Amino acid sequence: MMKKFPLMRNNIARQDLDLVIEHLKLDDPILTNGPKCREFEAAWSKWLGVKYSVFVSSGSAANLISMAILKAENPQGGEIIVPPLTWVSDIASVIQNGFTPVFCDINPTTLAMNDREVIAAITDRTVGVFLTHVQGFNGLTDWLVDELNARSIPLIEDVCESHGAEHKGKKVGTFGYMSNFSFYYAHHMTTIEGGMVCTDDEALYQKIRMFRSHGMLRETTDIALQNEFKATYPDLNPAFIFAHAAYNLRNNEIGAIIGLNQLKGLDQIVADRTANQELFFSLLDGEKYQKDFLFEGSSNYAFNLILKNKDDELMKRLEVALDENSIEYRKGSAGGGNQIRQPYLKDLNLGLEPRDFQNTEHVHFYGMYIGNFPTLNAEEIKEICSVINAV
Ligand SMILES: Cc1ncc(COP(=O)(O)O)c(C=O)c1O
């Protein structure tokens, strides 16, 4: 049954659906990846402030493509620095491409990796830093960005939960070698399922296009590259040259039509979510709950409710109160908490010890998130806070 206060409400509007219906009424509508996808990619690039974007089937597909390309660029393998507080596909994509994940604990004020730990974890085997901007917070620092640039280590930003967040007035997702977004239903905006891979690097853009689509050469718009392959492989049909062992991770015109319309309202969505977050934290009892987050530049995904102290009793009472008052929540915050506790990682025997990541452990056992979305109004936020504060 739908909760009184769910994680998300009405993220696909009547107008989005009407636009899809209009398209379906055309005589012979294109439904596969086509001109609407191109239009959405261009509009997204403009909104984000990057040169190139590639529309894919999910945020996880975006993660898979970025790690598969890093693998193609580093066939010898190596280490990728990752957070324990993230989504499964941020770690799975690393493993699936034969890299070793090297974990760094989070900074409790941003929930993203602690920059000091990331820089300390860099070795001559590091081939990338795969940072997650968690729950709408900006996870970047100047020090981290400058240090990675100085050492020529690619930064890959996962912005799936943080559309519109900014670092020093510039949108996150514009700082890395590439950045990944999700348009899953509960996110800031949706295309039902969907994602985007973004970059300013032309050569990388061409690879992303090919990796999205079977590794097919004809997906590049780089004619010189096409001619080079055609000359090297004269025995192949040019329409079927597979330059990379890749995937089909394309999205379609229906998703693009919804995405184009949703994008028009995204700045307002970010503003509304941010205003809700301000109200939530202004009302929250700072004796029991953590309030010292770095809110600057944040574009809140969900209300992060983290106990100030390790208190199992309080956590239990909080869960009971939320259940009784029909307030939906997700324990452990992003991705269910500490990934190192998950079976898929245990099976790899990497010798990881969850307790070595104390800040993530705290969020895992004493943290959760509650839905925030533009149609959640001030009265509702006050009601949620009065339940939480009374625990
Ligand atoms: C940080 C992060 N990365 C990646 C994803 C995966 O996105 P998708 O559900 O579109 O595959 C999610 C999903 O919510 C996420 O929170």
Side-chain angles (χ1 to χ4, degrees):
M1 202 179 73
M2 179 86 155
K3 297 265 187 189
K4 181 174 175 194
F5 299 105
L7 295 179
M8 172 52 76
R9 228 185 246 151
N10 307 333
N11 209 17
I12 296 181
R14 184 71 251 163
Q15 198 194 26
D16 298 323
L17 300 175
D18 287 344
L19 288 166
V20 171
I21 291 166
E22 277 310 302
H23 185 74
L24 296 176
K25 282 184 189 158
L26 295 176
D27 274 348
D28 188 13
I30 297 176
L31 294 173
T32 53
N33 196 283
K36 288 287 174 196
C37 290
R38 296 297 82 70
E39 201 182 322
F40 180 38
E41 289 168 345
W44 181 262
S45 293
K46 187 158 179 259
W47 176 82
L48 182 62
V50 291
K51 288 191 187 145
Y52 310 105
S53 297
V54 178
F55 188 32
V56 295
S57 53
S58 67
S60 299
N63 287 347
L64 181 58
I65 287 182
S66 50
M67 288 304 115
I69 290 177
L70 275 198
K71 184 64 202 306
E73 292 175 351
N74 299 275
Q76 76 286 2
E79 297 170 350
I80 306 270
I81 297 176
V82 291
L85 188 69
T86 185
W87 190 252
V88 55
S89 61
D90 291 68
I91 312 300
S93 57
V94 169
I95 298 164
Q96 285 154 357
N97 285 289
F99 291 122
T100 306
V102 173
F103 288 86
C104 287
D105 203 1
I106 56 163
N107 171 344
T109 66
T110 63
L111 305 181
M113 281 187 287
N114 179 318
D115 56 1
R116 201 170 6 89
E117 292 205 21
V118 173
I119 291 163
I122 294 171
T123 68
D124 55 6
R125 285 188 35 81
T126 306
V127 297
V129 171
F130 195 2
L131 180 139
T132 302
H133 297 281
V134 177
Q135 303 271 310
F137 291 113
N138 161 32
L140 295 175
T141 63
D142 284 344
W143 186 36
L144 181 64
V145 173
D146 293 347
E147 203 58 32
L148 296 181
N149 280 338
R151 299 186 193 201
S152 301
I153 294 174
L155 168 68
I156 296 89
E157 297 178 76
D158 178 331
V159 200
C160 291
E161 298 179 358
S162 303
H163 313 54
E166 293 181 353
H167 173 63
K168 300 276 171 71
K170 192 169 170 255
K171 286 196 179 82
V172 304
T174 60
F175 289 85
Y177 180 43
M178 57 189 136
S179 61
N180 302 338
F181 288 81
S182 165
F183 304 123
Y184 176 62
Y185 179 75
H187 289 194
H188 289 66
M189 60 163 270
T190 185
T191 58
I192 311 174
E193 297 277 2
M196 200 72 91
V197 189
C198 309
T199 185
D200 275 333
D201 185 309
E202 226 274 60
L204 175 60
Y205 166 62
Q206 299 298 349
K207 282 185 211 164
I208 300 167
R209 287 181 62 101
M210 285 191 276
F211 270 81
R212 168 180 66 177
S213 213
H214 307 287
M216 261 198 245
L217 181 68
R218 66 175 140 108
E219 288 292 322
T220 73
T221 52
D222 181 341
I223 303 303
L225 184 69
Q226 290 203 12
N227 289 338
E228 201 181 303
F229 268 93
K230 284 177 199 167
T232 314
Y233 299 93
D235 54 329
L236 294 179
N237 173 351
F240 291 101
I241 295 180
F242 299 99
H244 303 280
Y247 311 94
N248 178 358
L249 301 169
R250 291 187 296 250
N251 212 307
N252 60 52
E253 297 293 89
I254 307 261
I257 288 166
I258 295 175
L260 273 164
N261 198 45
Q262 292 243 332
L263 182 54
K264 291 181 195 153
L266 183 54
D267 287 335
Q268 190 57 50
I269 288 168
V270 169
D272 291 345
R273 282 172 172 267
T274 305
N276 283 354
Q277 169 172 257
E278 272 167 31
L279 178 62
F280 180 84
F281 279 99
S282 73
L283 296 172
L284 197 65
D285 179 353
E287 291 293 311
K288 294 181 198 135
Y289 304 107
Q290 182 187 328
K291 288 173 75 152
D292 54 343
F293 292 101
L294 280 181
F295 289 113
E296 198 187 333
S298 146
S299 77
N300 189 260
Y301 171 69
F303 300 141
N304 282 273
L305 192 57
I306 301 172
L307 301 195
K308 227 171 170 173
N309 303 308
K310 295 181 173 52
D311 186 337
D312 295 305
E313 201 51 45
L314 179 60
M315 193 67 185
K316 253 185 231 137
R317 279 190 278 127
L318 175 62
E319 286 174 45
V320 170
L322 294 174
D323 288 337
E324 281 175 353
N325 288 279
S326 197
I327 301 171
E328 197 170 5
Y329 58 93
R330 287 279 186 278
K331 269 186 83 176
S333 194
N338 194 349
Q339 291 296 310
I340 291 165
R341 291 190 168 272
Q342 295 290 349
Y344 76 87
L345 261 178
K346 288 215 163 137
D347 289 352
L348 292 179
N349 293 321
L350 293 172
L352 295 163
E353 176 51 62
R355 286 180 197 83
D356 289 343
F357 303 88
Q358 275 302 318
N359 294 334
T360 304
E361 285 287 270
H362 186 79
V363 176
H364 185 95
F365 289 108
Y366 305 106
M368 60 169 66
Y369 69 81
I370 293 174
N372 177 17
F373 39 85
T375 56
L376 191 68
N377 64 45
E379 286 316 306
E380 291 178 303
I381 295 170
K382 285 180 195 159
E383 191 180 330
I384 292 170
C385 282
S386 70
V387 170
I388 293 169
N389 288 340
V391 172

